[in-house]
Amino acid sequence: MLQAKTEDGELVTLASLTRQEIAMMKAKGKFFCPSCNQPVVAKAGTKLIPHFAHSSNTRCPSQEGGEGVYHEKGKLLLYQWLKSQQLNVWLEAYIPEISQRPDLLLQLKNKTIAIEYQCARIPPELVAKRNRGYARAGIVPIWILGANTLKRYNGHQLKVDQFHLSFIHQFSSDFPRTLYLFCPETQHFILFQDLFFTTLHRASGKMNIRKLQAMNFLDLFHIAYFKQEQLVPIWKREKRSFRLHIPRYAQGREFAWQQWLYVRNTNRQLLPSFIYLPIDSQHMMKTPPWDWQSRICLDIIHPLTVGSTFHYESCTHILRSQMHKPSFFPLIKSAANPITQYLQMLEQLHIIHKQSPTTYRKQMPIHFYEHLEEALDGDERLMRQLIKKHDLFIIRHTN
């Protein structure tokens, strides 16, 4: 941690002092943790940012998640950045009523904002616990991830696994889902917005990379959507790869899904093109889009005769173990539902027709392809059809 208390209760930030001043402070007396009041040691070597540390056997509520050099450097840079904007910001302020100490606490007009700079992997339960604490105190949390926690594929795609899902922000239904990242080594700030998951852990989105000093705090709330013309070539490439590259040694859920297809006398190369479509709220699912979408089509719609009906509850029932609960996403305010969005796409493709809020009628039979070349041609035709409809290809924030 960057701050500690003296025996007189004065807060000291070592990183803001010279080497000589630090030596004088250390000679004066002891330092104590602002959270647990246990003694801490001042560390001011030549390689690391001057900081304080607990002894290894100390149990302090503010230590959950761990800290390192990368984290300390980033936290200090973010603090200095906010301070340079004449904002009311406190470093490592302890909030006794919830026993939490955010990295930064910001007072902006009538809002109190806790900024957490998270560089270590922590359980989603701990993130939820901290967010519940902030909610009780009437504080808005903003989590900024260390850029070292994410793998970047290209200018539009990141690897986003289950750990990162807890840090996706959406402040209102008309704000794009956003991940915040910061690299203290390059001092680059990254906004990754309007995420579309093409696989379980590969997300495409609008990526904005800027130097920290070229930004102000309100830039964090800038809105940028991923344009259709940017998503289309990515989805074409992903869909083609899905058809052509069958995992030789599938394991876990992917193996179970392939076996499930085998029992139904088909495989991924022959599935209809409207299986594996881009769904805005795919992040809500625990399985890839081709898995859960195929189960709706093959287990519910395909066995029906044209004109027969099925209920929305049938879809939620067979997918009940494949969906995250909304509480898994404490920072997302939208109630977008992937099943509803997918059924809406099938309706606009005239596969089904919505008769009532919970009842759908099958409008046409489901045909499977007979060979791979036919499937690839069908995928291309459907993609063109979706693009012509324009408003269909990207359906956002539908409950």
Side-chain angles (χ1 to χ4, degrees):
M1 60 184 168
L2 297 177
Q3 284 191 328
K5 294 189 299 185
T6 64
E7 291 174 293
D8 297 329
E10 179 187 356
L11 280 174
V12 177
T13 305
L14 289 184
S16 65
L17 304 177
T18 65
R19 298 287 172 186
Q20 185 178 3
E21 289 172 329
I22 292 174
M24 291 174 61
M25 291 290 296
K26 291 174 70 174
K28 282 184 180 179
K30 297 180 179 179
F31 300 99
F32 302 89
C33 173
S35 302
C36 65
N37 293 313
Q38 294 296 311
V40 291
V41 179
K43 296 192 173 184
T46 57
K47 294 183 179 180
L48 304 181
I49 292 175
H51 64 284
F52 298 96
H54 288 85
S55 63
S56 58
N57 60 350
T58 300
R59 294 182 61 86
C60 175
S62 66
Q63 282 187 298
E64 291 177 320
E67 295 182 348
V69 179
Y70 188 93
H71 172 267
E72 296 288 84
K73 184 177 181 180
K75 177 168 55 175
L76 183 60
L77 286 168
L78 290 169
Y79 171 71
Q80 293 169 340
W81 171 64
L82 293 170
K83 200 73 175 171
S84 70
Q85 300 171 56
Q86 277 68 57
L87 296 174
N88 293 323
V89 59
W90 296 270
L91 181 66
E92 301 177 342
Y94 184 63
I95 308 169
E97 61 265 34
I98 57 174
S99 300
Q100 291 178 216
R101 187 186 65 184
D103 291 318
L104 305 170
L105 194 65
L106 179 66
Q107 189 68 45
L108 196 66
K109 294 183 179 180
N110 61 342
K111 285 188 181 293
T112 304
I113 299 170
I115 296 179
E116 295 276 16
Y117 182 51
Q118 191 62 44
C119 301
R121 285 181 172 264
I122 56 176
E125 297 77 17
L126 181 53
V127 180
K129 176 186 173 184
R130 289 186 184 176
N131 285 323
R132 287 194 299 270
Y134 291 134
R136 289 197 307 274
I139 296 172
V140 177
I142 295 178
W143 293 75
I144 300 173
L145 292 172
N148 61 341
T149 67
L150 280 167
K151 176 182 177 181
R152 183 177 171 187
Y153 293 113
N154 52 51
H156 294 298
Q157 290 186 308
L158 293 176
K159 180 179 180 181
V160 180
D161 61 27
Q162 183 162 307
F163 164 72
H164 305 107
L165 293 178
S166 300
F167 304 103
I168 299 175
H169 297 70
Q170 188 178 33
F171 301 106
S172 64
S173 60
D174 57 354
F175 189 88
R177 283 182 285 274
T178 301
L179 276 174
Y180 296 111
L181 303 103
F182 177 60
C183 176
E185 306 299 337
T186 63
Q187 297 191 32
H188 280 129
F189 200 100
I190 303 170
L191 272 76
F192 190 53
Q193 295 188 297
D194 201 21
L195 285 68
F196 274 83
F197 284 81
T198 54
T199 68
L200 192 59
H201 296 311
R202 184 188 290 255
S204 301
K206 180 69 175 179
M207 195 178 305
N208 186 8
I209 305 174
R210 297 177 64 183
K211 275 287 188 181
L212 184 65
Q213 295 306 321
M215 297 174 58
N216 62 52
F217 177 69
L218 293 181
D219 288 335
L220 270 62
F221 308 100
H222 171 76
I223 291 178
Y225 283 106
F226 199 41
K227 295 180 180 179
Q228 176 171 287
E229 54 266 30
Q230 295 173 307
L231 179 59
V232 168
I234 292 174
W235 206 271
K236 282 184 177 181
R237 185 173 65 247
E238 296 287 350
K239 189 68 175 282
R240 185 175 179 83
S241 176
F242 167 77
R243 295 284 194 192
L244 295 175
H245 302 129
I246 300 174
R248 182 174 296 181
Y249 302 108
Q251 296 179 337
R253 284 176 173 165
E254 185 66 19
F255 177 76
W257 179 70
Q258 290 187 21
Q259 292 295 105
W260 177 83
L261 289 179
Y262 178 78
V263 171
R264 285 153 181 78
N265 298 311
T266 190
N267 61 66
R268 68 169 61 204
Q269 294 185 333
L270 306 181
L271 290 174
S273 295
F274 50 80
I275 290 175
Y276 189 9
L277 293 181
I279 299 298
D280 168 69
S281 54
Q282 167 62 34
H283 65 279
M284 295 287 298
M285 304 303 297
K286 299 177 183 178
T287 53
W290 57 79
D291 186 316
W292 66 269
Q293 292 179 20
S294 63
R295 295 179 192 275
I296 290 176
C297 290
L298 272 63
D299 275 358
I300 294 179
I301 302 175
H302 181 53
L304 298 174
T305 57
V306 173
S308 298
T309 61
F310 66 95
H311 295 281
Y312 171 79
E313 289 76 12
S314 302
C315 301
T316 58
H317 178 73
I318 66 167
L319 298 177
R320 63 192 181 279
S321 65
Q322 297 191 32
M323 289 187 69
H324 289 293
K325 294 180 179 179
S327 59
F328 190 79
F329 305 94
L331 304 173
I332 294 180
K333 304 305 179 186
S334 169
N337 185 300
I339 297 175
T340 302
Q341 289 183 335
Y342 184 57
L343 293 177
Q344 184 179 349
M345 294 189 83
L346 293 182
E347 184 183 12
Q348 294 192 40
L349 289 169
H350 307 295
I351 308 297
I352 60 176
H353 174 72
K354 189 173 185 178
Q355 286 191 317
S356 75
T358 60
T359 306
Y360 297 84
R361 184 181 72 248
K362 182 177 179 179
Q363 282 195 284
M364 63 172 62
I366 292 179
H367 295 293
F368 294 80
Y369 295 114
E370 295 185 1
H371 51 77
L372 177 59
E373 291 74 16
E374 183 186 8
L376 294 173
D377 289 342
D379 292 345
E380 187 67 31
R381 286 195 304 273
L382 181 64
M383 198 69 69
R384 288 197 297 267
Q385 182 182 352
L386 293 171
I387 294 169
K388 283 181 181 179
K389 290 182 178 289
H390 190 73
D391 61 333
L392 168 60
F393 191 78
I394 299 178
I395 293 178
R396 291 188 172 95
H397 315 316
T398 304
N399 293 335

mmCIF file of all heavy atoms in Angstrom, residues 228 232 235 239 273-274 276-278 345-346 348-349 379-395:
data_model
loop_
_atom_site.group_PDB
_atom_site.id
_atom_site.type_symbol
_atom_site.label_atom_id
_atom_site.label_comp_id
_atom_site.label_asym_id
_atom_site.label_seq_id
_atom_site.Cartn_x
_atom_site.Cartn_y
_atom_site.Cartn_z
ATOM 1 N N GLN A 228 -21.573 -2.284 -37.577
ATOM 2 C CA GLN A 228 -21.916 -3.529 -38.268
ATOM 3 C C GLN A 228 -20.850 -3.908 -39.286
ATOM 4 O O GLN A 228 -20.479 -5.085 -39.405
ATOM 5 C CB GLN A 228 -23.265 -3.369 -38.966
ATOM 6 C CG GLN A 228 -23.670 -4.592 -39.794
ATOM 7 C CD GLN A 228 -25.093 -4.494 -40.281
ATOM 8 O OE1 GLN A 228 -26.013 -4.634 -39.494
ATOM 9 N NE2 GLN A 228 -25.266 -4.251 -41.560
ATOM 10 N N VAL A 232 -19.172 -7.667 -39.221
ATOM 11 C CA VAL A 232 -19.497 -8.634 -40.286
ATOM 12 C C VAL A 232 -18.290 -9.465 -40.716
ATOM 13 O O VAL A 232 -18.354 -10.707 -40.730
ATOM 14 C CB VAL A 232 -20.129 -7.918 -41.490
ATOM 15 C CG1 VAL A 232 -20.189 -8.851 -42.710
ATOM 16 C CG2 VAL A 232 -21.534 -7.445 -41.146
ATOM 17 N N TRP A 235 -17.335 -11.918 -37.993
ATOM 18 C CA TRP A 235 -18.265 -13.031 -37.839
ATOM 19 C C TRP A 235 -18.157 -14.021 -39.000
ATOM 20 O O TRP A 235 -18.242 -15.236 -38.801
ATOM 21 C CB TRP A 235 -19.705 -12.518 -37.707
ATOM 22 C CG TRP A 235 -20.512 -13.512 -36.943
ATOM 23 C CD1 TRP A 235 -21.209 -14.574 -37.442
ATOM 24 C CD2 TRP A 235 -20.641 -13.583 -35.526
ATOM 25 N NE1 TRP A 235 -21.772 -15.292 -36.417
ATOM 26 C CE2 TRP A 235 -21.436 -14.716 -35.237
ATOM 27 C CE3 TRP A 235 -20.171 -12.803 -34.483
ATOM 28 C CZ2 TRP A 235 -21.779 -15.061 -33.931
ATOM 29 C CZ3 TRP A 235 -20.507 -13.157 -33.194
ATOM 30 C CH2 TRP A 235 -21.298 -14.270 -32.941
ATOM 31 N N LYS A 239 -17.346 -17.866 -38.341
ATOM 32 C CA LYS A 239 -18.306 -18.892 -38.770
ATOM 33 C C LYS A 239 -17.635 -19.890 -39.712
ATOM 34 O O LYS A 239 -17.869 -21.103 -39.627
ATOM 35 C CB LYS A 239 -19.496 -18.213 -39.460
ATOM 36 C CG LYS A 239 -20.677 -19.141 -39.781
ATOM 37 C CD LYS A 239 -21.368 -19.626 -38.520
ATOM 38 C CE LYS A 239 -22.613 -20.461 -38.818
ATOM 39 N NZ LYS A 239 -23.780 -19.671 -39.200
ATOM 40 N N SER A 273 -27.645 -22.568 -41.140
ATOM 41 C CA SER A 273 -26.853 -21.349 -40.983
ATOM 42 C C SER A 273 -27.360 -20.445 -39.873
ATOM 43 O O SER A 273 -26.615 -19.597 -39.363
ATOM 44 C CB SER A 273 -26.826 -20.573 -42.311
ATOM 45 O OG SER A 273 -26.150 -21.308 -43.303
ATOM 46 N N PHE A 274 -28.637 -20.586 -39.486
ATOM 47 C CA PHE A 274 -29.153 -19.717 -38.422
ATOM 48 C C PHE A 274 -28.822 -20.242 -37.027
ATOM 49 O O PHE A 274 -29.321 -19.740 -36.026
ATOM 50 C CB PHE A 274 -30.661 -19.487 -38.573
ATOM 51 C CG PHE A 274 -31.478 -20.733 -38.765
ATOM 52 C CD1 PHE A 274 -31.816 -21.532 -37.686
ATOM 53 C CD2 PHE A 274 -31.904 -21.103 -40.026
ATOM 54 C CE1 PHE A 274 -32.563 -22.669 -37.859
ATOM 55 C CE2 PHE A 274 -32.661 -22.253 -40.211
ATOM 56 C CZ PHE A 274 -33.000 -23.036 -39.129
ATOM 57 N N TYR A 276 -25.645 -20.428 -34.571
ATOM 58 C CA TYR A 276 -24.422 -19.657 -34.371
ATOM 59 C C TYR A 276 -24.568 -18.278 -35.025
ATOM 60 O O TYR A 276 -23.897 -17.935 -35.985
ATOM 61 C CB TYR A 276 -23.197 -20.395 -34.910
ATOM 62 C CG TYR A 276 -21.841 -19.791 -34.565
ATOM 63 C CD1 TYR A 276 -21.709 -18.749 -33.659
ATOM 64 C CD2 TYR A 276 -20.681 -20.284 -35.182
ATOM 65 C CE1 TYR A 276 -20.463 -18.215 -33.367
ATOM 66 C CE2 TYR A 276 -19.432 -19.760 -34.893
ATOM 67 C CZ TYR A 276 -19.327 -18.723 -33.997
ATOM 68 O OH TYR A 276 -18.089 -18.186 -33.707
ATOM 69 N N LEU A 277 -25.484 -17.487 -34.455
ATOM 70 C CA LEU A 277 -25.703 -16.109 -34.870
ATOM 71 C C LEU A 277 -25.173 -15.160 -33.790
ATOM 72 O O LEU A 277 -25.114 -15.515 -32.615
ATOM 73 C CB LEU A 277 -27.199 -15.839 -35.096
ATOM 74 C CG LEU A 277 -27.858 -16.559 -36.273
ATOM 75 C CD1 LEU A 277 -29.330 -16.169 -36.368
ATOM 76 C CD2 LEU A 277 -27.145 -16.244 -37.583
ATOM 77 N N PRO A 278 -24.809 -13.939 -34.181
ATOM 78 C CA PRO A 278 -24.279 -12.975 -33.196
ATOM 79 C C PRO A 278 -25.362 -12.445 -32.271
ATOM 80 O O PRO A 278 -26.335 -11.841 -32.718
ATOM 81 C CB PRO A 278 -23.723 -11.843 -34.078
ATOM 82 C CG PRO A 278 -24.503 -11.943 -35.356
ATOM 83 C CD PRO A 278 -24.821 -13.397 -35.546
ATOM 84 N N MET A 345 -34.399 -12.979 -33.553
ATOM 85 C CA MET A 345 -33.718 -13.121 -34.840
ATOM 86 C C MET A 345 -34.360 -14.213 -35.683
ATOM 87 O O MET A 345 -34.556 -14.049 -36.894
ATOM 88 C CB MET A 345 -32.234 -13.416 -34.619
ATOM 89 C CG MET A 345 -31.469 -12.280 -33.985
ATOM 90 S SD MET A 345 -29.673 -12.534 -33.963
ATOM 91 C CE MET A 345 -29.240 -11.997 -35.617
ATOM 92 N N LEU A 346 -34.711 -15.328 -35.062
ATOM 93 C CA LEU A 346 -35.380 -16.402 -35.797
ATOM 94 C C LEU A 346 -36.730 -15.945 -36.337
ATOM 95 O O LEU A 346 -37.150 -16.341 -37.428
ATOM 96 C CB LEU A 346 -35.562 -17.632 -34.895
ATOM 97 C CG LEU A 346 -34.294 -18.368 -34.454
ATOM 98 C CD1 LEU A 346 -34.664 -19.590 -33.615
ATOM 99 C CD2 LEU A 346 -33.450 -18.783 -35.651
ATOM 100 N N GLN A 348 -37.520 -12.808 -37.215
ATOM 101 C CA GLN A 348 -37.310 -11.914 -38.348
ATOM 102 C C GLN A 348 -36.770 -12.644 -39.573
ATOM 103 O O GLN A 348 -36.883 -12.154 -40.703
ATOM 104 C CB GLN A 348 -36.376 -10.775 -37.941
ATOM 105 C CG GLN A 348 -37.009 -9.870 -36.888
ATOM 106 C CD GLN A 348 -36.251 -8.579 -36.678
ATOM 107 O OE1 GLN A 348 -35.767 -7.973 -37.624
ATOM 108 N NE2 GLN A 348 -36.147 -8.149 -35.429
ATOM 109 N N LEU A 349 -36.218 -13.834 -39.374
ATOM 110 C CA LEU A 349 -35.803 -14.690 -40.489
ATOM 111 C C LEU A 349 -36.946 -15.599 -40.952
ATOM 112 O O LEU A 349 -36.755 -16.437 -41.833
ATOM 113 C CB LEU A 349 -34.597 -15.541 -40.078
ATOM 114 C CG LEU A 349 -33.274 -14.785 -39.909
ATOM 115 C CD1 LEU A 349 -32.221 -15.671 -39.250
ATOM 116 C CD2 LEU A 349 -32.777 -14.265 -41.253
ATOM 117 N N ASP A 379 -24.151 -20.113 -45.405
ATOM 118 C CA ASP A 379 -23.713 -19.118 -44.409
ATOM 119 C C ASP A 379 -23.539 -17.753 -45.063
ATOM 120 O O ASP A 379 -23.929 -16.726 -44.494
ATOM 121 C CB ASP A 379 -22.394 -19.554 -43.770
ATOM 122 C CG ASP A 379 -22.532 -20.794 -42.906
ATOM 123 O OD1 ASP A 379 -23.674 -21.158 -42.558
ATOM 124 O OD2 ASP A 379 -21.495 -21.409 -42.574
ATOM 125 N N GLU A 380 -22.947 -17.746 -46.246
ATOM 126 C CA GLU A 380 -22.720 -16.483 -46.948
ATOM 127 C C GLU A 380 -24.042 -15.828 -47.341
ATOM 128 O O GLU A 380 -24.213 -14.612 -47.194
ATOM 129 C CB GLU A 380 -21.857 -16.744 -48.192
ATOM 130 C CG GLU A 380 -21.403 -15.499 -48.916
ATOM 131 C CD GLU A 380 -20.431 -14.663 -48.112
ATOM 132 O OE1 GLU A 380 -19.665 -15.234 -47.325
ATOM 133 O OE2 GLU A 380 -20.454 -13.422 -48.280
ATOM 134 N N ARG A 381 -24.991 -16.631 -47.806
ATOM 135 C CA ARG A 381 -26.304 -16.084 -48.191
ATOM 136 C C ARG A 381 -27.031 -15.497 -46.979
ATOM 137 O O ARG A 381 -27.628 -14.418 -47.058
ATOM 138 C CB ARG A 381 -27.172 -17.169 -48.833
ATOM 139 C CG ARG A 381 -26.767 -17.550 -50.245
ATOM 140 C CD ARG A 381 -27.869 -18.345 -50.932
ATOM 141 N NE ARG A 381 -28.258 -19.528 -50.181
ATOM 142 C CZ ARG A 381 -27.667 -20.711 -50.286
ATOM 143 N NH1 ARG A 381 -26.627 -20.859 -51.119
ATOM 144 N NH2 ARG A 381 -28.078 -21.746 -49.581
ATOM 145 N N LEU A 382 -26.989 -16.215 -45.865
ATOM 146 C CA LEU A 382 -27.670 -15.724 -44.673
ATOM 147 C C LEU A 382 -27.018 -14.440 -44.163
ATOM 148 O O LEU A 382 -27.707 -13.511 -43.738
ATOM 149 C CB LEU A 382 -27.653 -16.789 -43.571
ATOM 150 C CG LEU A 382 -28.374 -16.386 -42.278
ATOM 151 C CD1 LEU A 382 -29.863 -16.191 -42.526
ATOM 152 C CD2 LEU A 382 -28.158 -17.397 -41.179
ATOM 153 N N MET A 383 -25.698 -14.366 -44.246
ATOM 154 C CA MET A 383 -25.004 -13.162 -43.805
ATOM 155 C C MET A 383 -25.443 -11.973 -44.642
ATOM 156 O O MET A 383 -25.683 -10.883 -44.109
ATOM 157 C CB MET A 383 -23.495 -13.366 -43.906
ATOM 158 C CG MET A 383 -22.665 -12.387 -43.112
ATOM 159 S SD MET A 383 -22.812 -12.613 -41.322
ATOM 160 C CE MET A 383 -21.967 -14.179 -41.094
ATOM 161 N N ARG A 384 -25.563 -12.162 -45.944
ATOM 162 C CA ARG A 384 -26.024 -11.072 -46.819
ATOM 163 C C ARG A 384 -27.458 -10.673 -46.469
ATOM 164 O O ARG A 384 -27.807 -9.489 -46.482
ATOM 165 C CB ARG A 384 -25.922 -11.484 -48.289
ATOM 166 C CG ARG A 384 -24.497 -11.556 -48.822
ATOM 167 C CD ARG A 384 -24.472 -11.568 -50.341
ATOM 168 N NE ARG A 384 -25.131 -12.744 -50.880
ATOM 169 C CZ ARG A 384 -24.505 -13.878 -51.186
ATOM 170 N NH1 ARG A 384 -23.185 -13.978 -50.998
ATOM 171 N NH2 ARG A 384 -25.162 -14.910 -51.688
ATOM 172 N N GLN A 385 -28.274 -11.664 -46.156
ATOM 173 C CA GLN A 385 -29.660 -11.381 -45.776
ATOM 174 C C GLN A 385 -29.721 -10.562 -44.491
ATOM 175 O O GLN A 385 -30.489 -9.600 -44.388
ATOM 176 C CB GLN A 385 -30.419 -12.705 -45.586
ATOM 177 C CG GLN A 385 -31.892 -12.533 -45.238
ATOM 178 C CD GLN A 385 -32.592 -13.865 -45.019
ATOM 179 O OE1 GLN A 385 -32.020 -14.935 -45.268
ATOM 180 N NE2 GLN A 385 -33.819 -13.818 -44.542
ATOM 181 N N LEU A 386 -28.883 -10.918 -43.520
ATOM 182 C CA LEU A 386 -28.847 -10.186 -42.265
ATOM 183 C C LEU A 386 -28.371 -8.751 -42.463
ATOM 184 O O LEU A 386 -28.902 -7.812 -41.875
ATOM 185 C CB LEU A 386 -27.927 -10.895 -41.266
ATOM 186 C CG LEU A 386 -28.396 -12.267 -40.757
ATOM 187 C CD1 LEU A 386 -27.289 -12.935 -39.967
ATOM 188 C CD2 LEU A 386 -29.633 -12.130 -39.906
ATOM 189 N N ILE A 387 -27.375 -8.586 -43.328
ATOM 190 C CA ILE A 387 -26.831 -7.249 -43.579
ATOM 191 C C ILE A 387 -27.879 -6.370 -44.254
ATOM 192 O O ILE A 387 -28.006 -5.184 -43.940
ATOM 193 C CB ILE A 387 -25.558 -7.352 -44.442
ATOM 194 C CG1 ILE A 387 -24.451 -8.054 -43.661
ATOM 195 C CG2 ILE A 387 -25.095 -5.956 -44.880
ATOM 196 C CD1 ILE A 387 -23.253 -8.434 -44.498
ATOM 197 N N LYS A 388 -28.665 -6.932 -45.170
ATOM 198 C CA LYS A 388 -29.706 -6.154 -45.844
ATOM 199 C C LYS A 388 -30.745 -5.652 -44.858
ATOM 200 O O LYS A 388 -31.257 -4.541 -44.970
ATOM 201 C CB LYS A 388 -30.387 -7.007 -46.922
ATOM 202 C CG LYS A 388 -29.564 -7.170 -48.192
ATOM 203 C CD LYS A 388 -30.313 -8.010 -49.212
ATOM 204 C CE LYS A 388 -29.477 -8.199 -50.483
ATOM 205 N NZ LYS A 388 -30.193 -9.048 -51.487
ATOM 206 N N LYS A 389 -31.049 -6.491 -43.877
ATOM 207 C CA LYS A 389 -32.036 -6.067 -42.875
ATOM 208 C C LYS A 389 -31.462 -5.001 -41.952
ATOM 209 O O LYS A 389 -32.194 -4.229 -41.343
ATOM 210 C CB LYS A 389 -32.519 -7.279 -42.065
ATOM 211 C CG LYS A 389 -33.391 -8.222 -42.888
ATOM 212 C CD LYS A 389 -33.872 -9.361 -42.025
ATOM 213 C CE LYS A 389 -34.783 -10.293 -42.818
ATOM 214 N NZ LYS A 389 -36.078 -9.666 -43.098
ATOM 215 N N HIS A 390 -30.148 -4.948 -41.841
ATOM 216 C CA HIS A 390 -29.395 -3.935 -41.102
ATOM 217 C C HIS A 390 -29.729 -3.936 -39.604
ATOM 218 O O HIS A 390 -28.873 -4.152 -38.775
ATOM 219 C CB HIS A 390 -29.641 -2.545 -41.693
ATOM 220 C CG HIS A 390 -28.712 -1.515 -41.127
ATOM 221 N ND1 HIS A 390 -27.379 -1.471 -41.479
ATOM 222 C CD2 HIS A 390 -28.909 -0.507 -40.243
ATOM 223 C CE1 HIS A 390 -26.788 -0.482 -40.825
ATOM 224 N NE2 HIS A 390 -27.690 0.115 -40.067
ATOM 225 N N ASP A 391 -30.975 -3.672 -39.266
ATOM 226 C CA ASP A 391 -31.342 -3.597 -37.855
ATOM 227 C C ASP A 391 -31.429 -4.975 -37.222
ATOM 228 O O ASP A 391 -31.553 -5.111 -36.021
ATOM 229 C CB ASP A 391 -32.692 -2.883 -37.682
ATOM 230 C CG ASP A 391 -33.824 -3.616 -38.382
ATOM 231 O OD1 ASP A 391 -33.547 -4.326 -39.366
ATOM 232 O OD2 ASP A 391 -34.975 -3.476 -37.942
ATOM 233 N N LEU A 392 -31.368 -6.029 -38.041
ATOM 234 C CA LEU A 392 -31.463 -7.388 -37.516
ATOM 235 C C LEU A 392 -30.097 -7.920 -37.090
ATOM 236 O O LEU A 392 -29.970 -8.623 -36.101
ATOM 237 C CB LEU A 392 -32.062 -8.310 -38.585
ATOM 238 C CG LEU A 392 -31.992 -9.821 -38.342
ATOM 239 C CD1 LEU A 392 -32.718 -10.185 -37.062
ATOM 240 C CD2 LEU A 392 -32.588 -10.567 -39.515
ATOM 241 N N PHE A 393 -29.048 -7.561 -37.874
ATOM 242 C CA PHE A 393 -27.750 -8.192 -37.634
ATOM 243 C C PHE A 393 -27.236 -7.923 -36.230
ATOM 244 O O PHE A 393 -26.626 -8.769 -35.596
ATOM 245 C CB PHE A 393 -26.731 -7.708 -38.664
ATOM 246 C CG PHE A 393 -25.463 -8.504 -38.641
ATOM 247 C CD1 PHE A 393 -25.416 -9.770 -39.234
ATOM 248 C CD2 PHE A 393 -24.338 -8.052 -37.994
ATOM 249 C CE1 PHE A 393 -24.258 -10.524 -39.203
ATOM 250 C CE2 PHE A 393 -23.178 -8.814 -37.947
ATOM 251 C CZ PHE A 393 -23.164 -10.047 -38.560
ATOM 252 N N ILE A 394 -27.473 -6.727 -35.734
ATOM 253 C CA ILE A 394 -27.068 -6.413 -34.359
ATOM 254 C C ILE A 394 -28.306 -6.002 -33.571
ATOM 255 O O ILE A 394 -28.789 -4.883 -33.693
ATOM 256 C CB ILE A 394 -26.009 -5.295 -34.302
ATOM 257 C CG1 ILE A 394 -24.743 -5.723 -35.058
ATOM 258 C CG2 ILE A 394 -25.673 -4.951 -32.880
ATOM 259 C CD1 ILE A 394 -23.660 -4.653 -35.095
ATOM 260 N N ILE A 395 -28.860 -6.924 -32.789
ATOM 261 C CA ILE A 395 -30.006 -6.628 -31.932
ATOM 262 C C ILE A 395 -29.471 -6.376 -30.531
ATOM 263 O O ILE A 395 -28.816 -7.238 -29.938
ATOM 264 C CB ILE A 395 -31.003 -7.797 -31.921
ATOM 265 C CG1 ILE A 395 -31.632 -7.944 -33.308
ATOM 266 C CG2 ILE A 395 -32.083 -7.562 -30.869
ATOM 267 C CD1 ILE A 395 -32.592 -9.104 -33.421
#
